[in-house]
Amino acid sequence: MDYHIEELISEEKIEKRIAELAKQLDEEYAGKEIHLVVILKGSVFFACELAKRLTVPVTLDFMAVSSYGDGMVSAGEITVKKELDEDIADKEVLIVEDILDSGVTLYNLKILLAARNPKSLKIITLLDKKENHEAGIKADYVGFDIPNKFVVGYGLDYAQKHRNLPYVGVVIPD
Ligand code: PRP
């Protein structure tokens, strides 16, 4: 497919919003330590920018999950492809996602991680496609609400490409 990418959210807007989110987290987690659980791969870009702006103590770990088995769109379960290195029991866990789309991934991930007894378990997502949610899940912190379009950049890919774009763009078929 031939396509081009149209900018949806500029780098400047993203950075400004991440700074606001970091300030909000600093206030809400004052006196505590945040343990970021970064969901590979797409969330890495957002997680780094967010973590750099936090002033409360931060630790972080990575996890890779796959929510769709055999091409099914809502398998309703997740497969853990890379497990966390550390135990999350008694930690103030904040799951970092690049996008909440159908919500299936986060719905299942939250159940999985909640069973490990963290002190708290919240979700932050850079992008939220609210109109596409199928699973009953809501992020605690949202960067931007976006329309139900195919987006790339700032960690998000199309066939593994365009993750490194510094802005979020929409894929438009030519
Ligand atoms: C994306 C995104 C979420 C998930 C959201 O990951 O990072 O984890 O899809 O979709 P959902 O709300 O419909 O479940 P993806 O599986 O594409 O992996 P990637 O980050 O490695 O590209």
Side-chain angles (χ1 to χ4, degrees):
M1 177 182 92
D2 289 328
Y3 63 93
H4 65 282
I5 296 166
E6 277 177 13
E7 184 177 287
L8 180 68
I9 312 170
S10 70
E11 181 175 14
E12 194 188 6
K13 273 195 188 149
I14 296 170
E15 289 185 351
K16 187 164 170 277
R17 183 69 188 124
I18 293 177
E20 287 171 3
L21 288 168
K23 191 163 176 282
Q24 188 182 350
L25 290 171
D26 270 344
E27 286 166 9
E28 292 180 21
Y29 285 82
K32 299 176 183 170
E33 192 173 299
I34 305 183
H35 187 64
L36 301 177
V37 166
V38 181
I39 309 305
L40 298 169
K41 301 170 189 161
S43 310
V44 167
F45 295 74
F46 173 43
C48 290
E49 292 306 312
L50 182 70
K52 284 192 288 183
R53 289 167 174 85
L54 290 169
T55 62
V56 290
V58 170
T59 53
L60 70 162
D61 202 350
F62 299 89
M63 193 170 189
V65 296
S66 163
S67 56
Y68 312 131
D70 302 327
M72 298 271 296
V73 173
S74 333
E77 59 186 42
I78 49 170
T79 308
V80 176
K81 295 193 287 185
K82 186 222 167 286
E83 186 47 270
L84 293 170
D85 290 337
E86 291 158 50
D87 192 3
I88 57 165
D90 291 325
K91 292 186 175 157
E92 312 275 4
V93 173
L94 182 62
I95 302 172
V96 184
E97 266 291 19
D98 49 354
I99 189 164
L100 208 172
D101 195 336
S102 70
V104 171
T105 305
L106 278 169
Y107 178 82
N108 289 294
L109 187 60
K110 211 173 169 189
I111 292 170
L112 187 83
L113 296 183
R116 300 180 186 182
N117 301 315
K119 192 180 281 178
S120 66
L121 181 61
K122 290 191 172 183
I123 295 169
I124 186 165
T125 184
L126 178 65
L127 307 174
D128 193 354
K129 274 192 194 176
K130 288 210 168 69
E131 61 188 274
N132 216 33
H133 291 191
E134 290 170 17
I137 188 88
K138 197 172 164 295
D140 299 278
Y141 307 95
V142 174
F144 300 92
D145 288 318
I146 59 162
N148 189 15
K149 298 207 164 129
F150 196 103
V151 287
V152 292
Y154 224 88
L156 292 139
D157 71 302
Y158 174 45
Q160 298 301 328
K161 288 188 278 190
H162 312 304
R163 292 190 195 274
N164 60 315
L165 286 176
Y167 57 87
V168 171
V170 180
V171 173
I172 313 276
D174 288 333

